[in-house]
Amino acid sequence: MDTIARMAKAQEITFDSLRPPAPWMDDTHSIWRKSVRAFVEKELVPHIEEWEAAGQIPRDVYPKAAEAGLIGMGYPEEYGGAGTDFDRFHGTVTSEELARMGAGGVSSALMIHGIGLPPVMVGGSEDMKREIAPQVLSGKKQISLGITEPGGGSDVAQLKTSAKRSGNGWVVNGSKTYITGGCTSKWLTTAVRTGGEGMGGISLMLIDLEAEGVSRTALPKMGWWASDTATIHFDDVFVPPENLIGEVDRGFVSIMANFNGERLGMAAQAAACARVCIEDAAAWAQQRQTFGKRLADHQVIRHKIAAMCQKVWATTAMLDQLTWRVQNGEQPIAELAMLKVQATETMEFCAREAMQILGGAGFIRGHRVERIYREVRVMAIGGGSEEIMRDLASRQLGL
């Protein structure tokens, strides 16, 4: 009996066993994993189908997540955060444990501040940080990120939404689309054109989504049902001068730096989703009988599981190594772009193979693999499509 068959027979193929040890993780990461898992199992998992049907998660879930330290992880206590003793690997643990639900819509809704708030904390004024951060990190309010437009997404340097000088402030016109949390967020960290063409004319501004001239259109989606998504329209929206984030016409660099962190988190999420697929497929293969024996006793099924494990372990090793490099101050843009592709391709492969093993059982609503299968595309496109990531990597490599 080969290794995979022995593992399946001993019921050793689990979400946890599929995670290779990381030499940079210690007891604090294990403790944090247990804490996050306990919160997810108690407060989130029992309600997934309800929230999927509703198209959003209830507002009262956010303060609970804040109390558990989930929302404020890594943010300074003086701004209402849970402290800065967290490192990049604690972030990886968080992404993995949220992905374990097999409900990307729930985690994206709950954690959208992870890409909307950092630009405020890095480039915002002290007054802005003290006004916005405590409300977001306590779970009272929500902040999203607005980069993509109806006319383009990955080519950030060509964005069209404009901000023109008006008195002592700005007037914004244009649209942003595919905005996670766009229907429910109070604020939008928004990329606007304040100068000429290209990357040199882009600025970041904090826009109050309840301001006059802002309208929102909800967008129904293939996956991530529990997370609302919207197109946001700006019609002569006045933005006060204190809502500028960083310097005028210097927003492009901040946007790109923000993308690096987003891609690292998405890679951790995608690799963890792949582990979920293997866990559920292996469990089904041990109990499902075909032609007088378990699915796990058919060589073709064992080989499928072996190939899935191979891709997950390779992806996780790359994830951990790049997480360590980023934690130590590097910005390996090419490698992060390739990691994002590696992770989403692994997720897609494992989702497909798991569905093949599960058969009709995986096609039924409420199954983790069914949800993950629907969510593959948003992971492969969001944060930079696979095609754009390969092109970015090749240019960074000097080609």
Side-chain angles (χ1 to χ4, degrees):
M1 186 180 295
D2 64 26
T3 302
I4 293 298
R6 287 197 300 272
M7 289 176 67
K9 187 172 184 179
Q11 296 185 341
E12 293 177 351
I13 300 180
T14 66
F15 182 81
D16 291 330
S17 71
L18 288 164
R19 215 255 182 250
W24 304 286
M25 288 189 183
D26 54 31
D27 288 344
T28 67
H29 301 97
S30 299
I31 293 169
W32 178 240
R33 187 181 297 279
K34 290 177 182 177
S35 176
V36 176
R37 183 170 296 187
F39 174 81
V40 169
E41 289 293 326
K42 179 182 178 182
E43 301 292 347
L44 305 183
V45 170
H47 309 289
I48 289 173
E49 289 304 308
E50 173 191 347
W51 298 341
E52 288 270 286
Q56 63 184 58
I57 65 177
R59 195 69 241 166
D60 63 5
V61 177
Y62 291 83
K64 293 178 183 178
E67 186 177 351
L70 200 58
I71 291 180
M73 179 193 67
Y75 292 94
E77 293 181 15
E78 63 182 301
Y79 298 107
T84 55
D85 291 336
F86 296 87
D87 61 22
R88 289 282 181 174
F89 285 96
H90 290 101
T92 295
V93 168
T94 302
S95 295
E96 290 177 345
E97 289 303 311
L98 289 171
R100 186 171 170 267
M101 291 185 289
V106 175
S107 57
S108 64
L110 193 62
M111 303 298 286
I112 190 58
H113 71 288
I115 57 174
L117 188 58
V120 171
M121 302 304 294
V122 173
S125 67
E126 188 63 24
D127 286 344
M128 181 187 291
K129 289 187 282 188
R130 292 197 178 279
E131 178 190 355
I132 305 301
Q135 296 186 69
V136 172
L137 299 177
S138 65
K140 294 178 181 178
K141 301 290 183 180
Q142 188 173 304
I143 186 170
S144 293
L145 180 69
I147 305 294
T148 301
E149 299 182 348
S154 296
D155 190 2
V156 178
Q158 303 306 316
L159 65 84
K160 303 299 183 184
T161 297
S162 66
K164 304 294 186 182
R165 291 279 190 181
S166 178
N168 66 340
W170 307 82
V171 172
V172 175
N173 284 281
S175 299
K176 298 294 177 179
T177 196
Y178 311 136
I179 306 304
T180 301
C183 291
T184 51
S185 284
K186 164 66 173 174
W187 298 286
L188 187 71
T189 299
T190 316
V192 296
R193 184 161 299 284
T194 48
E197 296 182 358
M199 66 183 69
I202 295 172
S203 301
L204 280 176
M205 292 183 180
L206 184 71
I207 297 181
D208 186 338
L209 294 180
E210 296 174 1
E212 184 178 354
V214 176
S215 59
R216 324 185 202 195
T217 303
L219 300 174
K221 309 185 297 297
M222 176 181 177
W224 279 16
W225 292 349
S227 171
D228 68 275
T229 303
T231 294
I232 302 177
H233 310 274
F234 308 107
D235 185 11
D236 289 336
V237 177
F238 181 75
V239 178
E242 61 268 22
N243 280 29
L244 179 70
I245 301 174
E247 299 179 41
V248 177
D249 296 343
R250 298 293 298 273
F252 186 82
V253 174
S254 297
I255 294 168
M256 292 300 102
N258 205 47
F259 274 149
N260 288 334
E262 180 182 6
R263 289 162 187 162
L264 193 62
M266 290 187 74
Q269 182 181 351
C273 285
R275 286 159 55 196
V276 169
C277 292
I278 300 173
E279 180 180 54
D280 286 359
W284 180 253
Q286 292 172 58
Q287 64 181 15
R288 178 67 166 171
Q289 295 282 327
T290 60
F291 302 101
K293 57 184 177 181
R294 303 177 312 155
L295 274 177
D297 293 326
H298 294 277
Q299 186 183 65
V300 65
I301 300 300
R302 298 199 301 271
H303 287 190
K304 283 182 179 292
I305 295 174
M308 293 158 75
C309 291
Q310 171 192 333
K311 291 181 181 295
V312 164
W313 287 332
T315 301
T316 307
M318 186 177 184
L319 168 68
D320 288 344
Q321 196 249 12
L322 285 175
T323 300
W324 179 83
R325 289 177 63 184
V326 171
Q327 183 168 294
N328 283 274
E330 293 186 52
Q331 289 294 328
I333 297 174
E335 293 93 326
L336 288 169
M338 289 187 285
L339 169 64
K340 203 264 182 177
V341 176
Q342 171 74 20
T344 55
E345 286 186 338
T346 296
M347 177 183 174
E348 183 166 14
F349 178 84
C350 291
R352 183 197 184 281
E353 294 297 83
M355 285 291 281
Q356 289 300 111
I357 294 171
L358 288 161
F363 194 68
I364 302 302
R365 285 279 305 276
H367 199 291
R368 291 193 298 179
V369 174
E370 183 269 337
R371 289 195 298 268
I372 290 172
Y373 193 86
R374 285 189 284 106
E375 294 171 359
V376 165
R377 291 273 58 83
V378 68
M379 295 293 289
I381 296 170
S385 69
E386 292 174 350
E387 293 78 11
I388 292 293
M389 291 297 91
R390 288 194 180 96
D391 191 60
L392 172 61
S394 66
R395 285 186 280 112
Q396 288 291 319
L397 291 171
L399 298 177

